[in-house]
Amino acid sequence: MAPSASSALVNIAEDAELRLVRLLAESSQSVRANFVQDCEACIVHSDASQLMKTILNEQGAIAALVSLGDEAVSAISLLAALLDRIKNEDTSGLVKQLADSIQQASAGNASRCMSLLAALYNMRADPTEKVALLVKMIQLGSSQEPSLLAAQGSVLGKWVDGNTLPTMLDEWNVPSGGRRELYRAAAEGATSPDAKQRFTLLLVETYAEGEVDSDALASSQQAAIGAIRDPVSLFVNQRDILALPAIRGLQKKSASLLSLLTVFQEGKLEDYHSFIKANGGEKVLTQWGLSPEECIRHMRVLSLCSLAAEHEEIPYSVVTETLQTEASEVEKWVIAAVSSGLLSAKMDQVQEKVIVERCVVRKFDMDQWKALQSRLNVWKQNVSGILEAYKESLQQQQQQQQQE
C-alpha cells in the first residue's frame, strides 16, 4: 500500500526535506521561481541553517504550510528536525522567525495558529525557545481568543497557571531575567483578577537589588494596588511582598502607596484611618482605583487576625474597640474572618469572648519571635510539670507495692 501524505512527511528520510519543499511550492502560487532550486542546493550541501532560512524568508511557502490542514503539524515536525541539525548556531532567532511567520500566515484563525505553535513548542527542548513560544501563544490567546487561556479550556490554560508555570521554569533552570517577559504576558492575558495578581507578583519577584528599573516600578505599583484591593485571596503569596526590592523601590516613586501597602500588610484599622487622615481623606484612594468601603472591610478582617495572633481569647469588647464597630456586629466579623480562611475560632456567647484555634501571622519579626519563645517556655514548663507528676506517681506506686 502506498504511504499516505502524512506518513510521507513525518518520515525523516533523505528526501523528506525535498518532498516538503516541493509540496510547499506546489501548494502556493506566490513562491518565487528559484525557491525549489535554492532549497535543493542547500540540501545537496547539507546546509540545514541556510535551508531553514530560505524556507522562512519565503512567506508564500509558510502560508502554504499553514494551509496544509492536518499535514501542517507533520510539516512543523520536519522543520523542527531541521532545526535540530543546525550546529554551532543559536536557533532561537530562527524559531522566533518561524513562529512569527506562522502567526502572520494564520491571521484570522487563532485556533489554527495556536495548534501549530503548540506543536512547535512540544518539539523544542531549549528552555529559551520554549519560553518565547509560550509568550507568543499567551499574547495570541489574550488578543484573539481569551478562552484558550482558561484552565478548563485548553492545555495552554493548564500550563499558564500560577503554580504550574514557576515549577516548570524551575525544572528548566530558567533564570529570573528570562522569566519576566513570560510572567508579564501571563499577567496581561490573565482572565481573572487573582491570576493577574499572581503573575504580577511573580514578575516583581524576578527583580533583584540593582535591577529595579522603570518597568519594575510600574509592575510593583500594580502589584501593590492588587495586594491592597484584595489582601485575602492571595494572602500567602503576598505576605512577603514588602521584602521585595522592586516594592521597596516604590519609596521614591510612590511613597504614599507603599505606606498604605504597609498598613494592609502589618497594621490595624486605626493605622488605616491615620493614613487616610494624613493624606487628605479618602480621595487619596481614587488615584489607585480603590474602594473606601472595601478597604475598611478588609482592614477589619485583617485587624481581627492580628488580634487573634496576639491573644488566645479575645473579649468582645476588645474586638469592638479594635474594629471600631458595634457589639452587635462582633460575631459578623468573626464569621467573615473565619470564612476568609485566615482564622479558625469559636465564639463563647455567654462569656462574650472569641476563642482562637488557629490564625495566620501577618507580621513575624523580633516581637513575634519573643512571643513564640515565651509560649515555648510555658509549654516546656507544663511538660516538665507533667513529667514530675508522673515520676512522683510512679514512685508512690512502687512504694505501695513494696509495702504490700
Side-chain angles (χ1 to χ4, degrees):
M1 179 182 294
S4 65
S6 177
S7 61
L9 278 180
V10 297
N11 179 24
I12 311 300
E14 291 182 359
D15 62 345
E17 293 163 353
L18 182 57
R19 291 183 185 182
L20 173 59
V21 168
R22 288 174 177 171
L23 178 60
L24 296 179
E26 293 169 0
S27 302
S28 174
Q29 301 297 322
S30 60
V31 296
R32 55 191 174 80
N34 294 333
F35 171 69
V36 174
Q37 183 178 349
D38 291 345
C39 290
E40 287 177 343
C42 294
I43 294 172
V44 169
H45 292 91
S46 300
D47 193 341
S49 176
Q50 188 57 43
L51 176 57
M52 190 70 190
K53 293 173 183 176
T54 301
I55 295 174
L56 291 177
N57 291 333
E58 194 68 43
Q59 189 57 36
I62 300 299
L65 183 153
V66 173
S67 69
L68 289 177
D70 294 338
E71 297 302 325
V73 174
S74 298
I76 290 292
S77 70
L78 277 175
L79 294 180
L82 184 61
L83 285 166
D84 289 335
R85 287 172 48 202
I86 299 175
K87 306 301 181 183
N88 302 320
E89 183 177 340
D90 184 6
T91 58
S92 59
L94 294 175
V95 171
K96 181 181 184 303
Q97 187 178 351
L98 176 56
D100 290 341
S101 299
I102 291 173
Q103 184 172 0
Q104 183 179 346
S106 305
N109 192 340
S111 297
R112 180 65 176 162
C113 182
M114 189 72 76
S115 65
L116 295 180
L117 291 176
L120 181 59
Y121 168 87
N122 288 325
M123 295 171 189
R124 303 310 297 154
D126 182 82
T128 301
E129 295 177 3
K130 294 179 81 71
V131 168
L133 288 168
L134 274 176
V135 170
K136 183 164 288 294
M137 286 190 284
I138 292 171
Q139 291 173 340
L140 175 65
S142 61
S143 64
Q144 297 187 33
E145 200 163 338
S147 61
L148 294 174
L149 297 178
Q152 304 88 341
S154 68
V155 175
L156 177 61
K158 295 178 181 179
W159 287 339
V160 186
D161 172 79
N163 296 317
T164 302
L165 195 55
T167 300
M168 194 162 59
L169 295 176
D170 288 341
E171 293 173 353
W172 296 346
N173 294 318
V174 178
S176 296
R179 306 182 182 205
R180 286 175 195 156
E181 188 178 4
L182 179 55
Y183 286 152
R184 183 175 286 108
E188 293 173 352
T191 56
S192 70
D194 281 358
K196 182 178 182 64
Q197 178 66 2
R198 180 74 174 100
F199 284 116
T200 302
L201 286 169
L202 288 170
L203 170 59
V204 172
E205 289 172 6
T206 65
Y207 291 94
E209 294 285 355
E211 297 181 334
V212 180
D213 54 16
S214 58
D215 289 338
L217 292 176
S219 298
S220 296
Q221 183 166 327
Q222 293 177 7
I225 294 172
I228 295 169
R229 181 175 289 117
D230 185 357
V232 174
S233 299
L234 294 176
F235 179 86
V236 174
N237 304 102
Q238 296 174 160
R239 67 187 309 164
D240 296 324
I241 190 172
L242 292 176
L244 299 177
I247 291 293
R248 295 200 301 269
L250 290 174
Q251 183 63 45
K252 296 181 179 179
K253 180 180 180 180
S254 184
S256 57
L257 178 60
L258 181 59
S259 296
L260 182 59
L261 176 63
T262 303
V263 170
F264 270 78
Q265 289 294 301
E266 302 177 348
K268 293 181 181 178
L269 186 59
E270 61 180 343
D271 300 310
Y272 169 78
H273 285 308
S274 295
F275 170 86
I276 294 297
K277 183 178 180 180
N279 287 272
E282 293 180 342
K283 63 182 181 181
V284 68
L285 302 175
T286 59
Q287 62 181 310
W288 303 311
L290 298 172
S291 164
E293 293 76 17
E294 285 296 297
C295 285
I296 291 177
R297 183 176 69 84
H298 285 309
M299 280 308 306
R300 281 181 169 147
V301 171
L302 294 172
S303 297
L304 182 55
C305 289
S306 291
L307 275 180
E310 297 166 358
H311 310 284
E312 294 182 358
E313 296 184 354
I314 314 170
Y316 278 19
S317 58
V318 175
V319 177
T320 300
E321 180 182 357
T322 302
L323 272 56
Q324 300 178 22
T325 187
E326 301 296 329
S328 59
E329 294 190 336
V330 168
E331 294 181 5
K332 180 188 79 171
W333 289 109
V334 172
I335 292 173
V338 171
S339 299
S340 72
L342 303 182
L343 171 68
S344 178
K346 296 180 180 179
M347 289 176 283
D348 187 333
Q349 296 175 322
V350 175
Q351 299 187 48
E352 294 191 335
K353 63 182 180 181
V354 179
I355 303 173
V356 179
E357 297 178 342
R358 177 192 61 81
C359 182
V360 297
V361 178
R362 298 176 60 210
K363 180 181 179 182
F364 206 93
D365 54 18
M366 188 55 66
D367 290 338
Q368 281 66 44
W369 278 115
K370 290 180 179 179
L372 179 59
Q373 182 183 40
S374 177
R375 291 186 180 184
L376 287 174
N377 287 335
V378 171
W379 176 80
K380 183 179 179 181
Q381 292 172 2
N382 291 338
V383 172
S384 298
I386 293 174
L387 290 175
E388 288 298 325
Y390 174 74
K391 289 180 181 178
E392 291 179 3
S393 175
L394 190 61
Q395 290 175 353
Q396 291 176 358
Q397 290 180 4
Q398 291 175 346
Q399 291 175 356
Q400 289 178 355
Q401 290 175 354
Q402 290 175 355
Q403 291 175 358
E404 293 176 354

